[in-house]
Amino acid sequence: MENTGLLYEGKAKKIYQTSLENQVLVEYLDQLTALNGKQKDQCQGKGELTNAITSALFTQLADQNIPTHFIEKTSKTEQLVEKLDMIPLEVVIRNVSAGSFMTRFQLTEPISFQTPIVEYYYKNDRLDDPFINDDHIFHLKLVTKDQLATIRQLALRINQVLVSYFATLDLDLIDFKLEFGFDTSGNIILGDEISPDTCRLHDVKTSASLDKDLYRKQTGDVLKAYQEVYARINQTKELVHHVSY
C-alpha cells in the first residue's frame, strides 16, 4: 500500500494517507523522546522494534475481540491502520504505582493496586497534557458520558488481556497509556500504539525495567530492552495464541 502524502508527524511516528480514504500508513521512527519531547535522541533500529511489538500486541487484542485500528504490518517500520477521528484524551491504566503517580503522592515504595486505577490526560502538547477528571472531559466536550463509559470499559478490558498476556512473557505490566478514536460508523476503537514506549514493563524475576524509563532516567540500554521484549513475544507466540482470558 503506497502513501499519497504526509498527514501528520509526531515525536516518534509519521502518518501517511493511502489511496483508500479510510486507511493510513503509520511509519515508526528511530526516535526516542521523553518529557513531552524536551528530551530527544536518535536510536537506530528502534522504529522497527516498536512497529513489530505494536503489531504483535494489537493482533493479540484482536484475537480477544477488542476493536483496534490495526490492519496489517506492511514493512519493517510501517503498518496499515484504519483512519480514526482521534479523541484528544490519553487514558492511563495503573496496576502498580510508578512515575508521576509516585511523585504526585510523594510515595517512596511502589504499591500494587487491588483494582486498576484509570486516569485521564488532556492530549495537548501546548498545555503539557494535563491531568483531568470526568467533569473536565464533559466541559471540554471531548466525549459524552456514555462514550467515556465505553472508553473506560474498553481500557479495563485491554488491561485484563495484556496483564495476562505479559505474564506469559514473565513481564509485569506496571502501567500504560491508551488512545481511542471514532471510526467512520462512530464506534470507539483503540488507536495509536502499545509498546515499551507507552508501557512500563518489569521483568517478573528481577524487577528490571524493559521500557522507555531506561531512557527517561538514563539507567540502561533502551534498544536491548526493546529487543528483549520482542524476543519474548516471538518465543512464546505459539503458546499465547491459545491462551484465553
Side-chain angles (χ1 to χ4, degrees):
M1 179 70 68
E2 294 184 1
N3 76 70
T4 60
L6 182 66
L7 289 176
Y8 169 80
E9 182 170 358
K11 301 182 188 75
K13 63 174 75 76
K14 292 181 180 179
I15 299 176
Y16 300 92
Q17 182 61 55
T18 70
S19 55
L20 297 177
E21 182 179 355
N22 296 323
Q23 294 184 4
V24 295
L25 274 175
V26 179
E27 178 190 9
Y28 287 88
L29 308 175
D30 289 340
Q31 186 81 35
L32 271 169
T33 65
L35 304 175
N36 208 14
K38 298 180 180 69
Q39 185 178 335
K40 184 185 298 184
D41 285 287
Q42 289 293 111
C43 182
Q44 187 173 358
K46 185 254 186 183
E48 182 176 340
L49 283 165
T50 306
N51 184 40
I53 293 169
T54 293
S55 297
L57 294 178
F58 272 82
T59 299
Q60 183 66 24
L61 291 173
D63 286 346
Q64 300 302 318
N65 299 314
I66 291 173
T68 83
H69 72 162
F70 180 76
I71 298 172
E72 63 177 336
K73 182 171 174 279
T74 56
S75 75
K76 288 183 177 180
T77 59
E78 294 176 318
Q79 58 184 236
L80 185 67
V81 304
E82 186 175 356
K83 189 176 184 179
L84 302 180
D85 180 12
M86 295 301 292
I87 300 165
L89 196 64
E90 294 185 348
V91 183
V92 174
I93 301 90
R94 299 186 184 275
N95 299 303
V96 181
S97 61
S100 62
F101 192 97
M102 298 284 288
T103 303
R104 192 184 313 142
F105 298 104
Q106 297 185 351
L107 301 177
T108 57
E109 297 292 334
I111 299 171
S112 294
F113 303 122
Q114 290 185 344
T115 57
I117 290 177
V118 180
E119 296 179 344
Y120 305 112
Y121 295 81
Y122 182 34
K123 190 170 175 62
N124 186 310
D125 287 345
R126 185 175 58 83
L127 300 177
D128 205 22
D129 302 336
F131 179 80
I132 59 176
N133 64 22
D134 298 31
D135 288 338
H136 297 140
I137 291 169
F138 304 143
H139 173 74
L140 293 168
K141 298 181 180 179
L142 304 184
V143 290
T144 67
K145 289 185 178 181
D146 286 345
Q147 288 167 343
L148 186 61
T150 297
I151 289 170
R152 180 183 174 88
Q153 183 180 31
L154 273 172
L156 289 171
R157 172 65 176 148
I158 292 165
N159 182 60
Q160 180 186 31
V161 170
L162 290 182
V163 165
S164 296
Y165 175 73
F166 281 123
T168 69
L169 311 182
D170 287 331
L171 292 171
D172 284 327
L173 179 58
I174 305 302
D175 60 31
F176 64 112
K177 173 185 73 73
L178 297 173
E179 295 185 29
F180 296 88
F182 296 103
D183 66 11
T184 55
S185 299
N187 300 309
I188 294 173
I189 67 175
L190 179 65
D192 195 47
E193 68 176 276
I194 302 177
S195 75
D197 266 15
T198 61
C199 300
R200 282 190 174 92
L201 297 168
H202 290 182
D203 181 85
V204 167
K205 296 177 182 177
T206 67
S207 297
S209 294
L210 293 171
D211 56 63
K212 198 165 70 171
D213 263 358
L214 294 169
Y215 175 66
R216 293 186 187 97
K217 300 176 182 179
Q218 297 293 294
T219 55
D221 190 323
V222 176
L223 196 63
K224 284 186 178 179
Y226 286 35
Q227 287 170 338
E228 176 63 22
V229 171
Y230 186 54
R232 295 190 191 191
I233 288 172
N234 271 343
Q235 288 169 3
T236 59
K237 190 173 290 184
E238 291 303 316
L239 171 65
V240 299
H241 181 74
H242 298 97
V243 174
S244 60
Y245 304 96

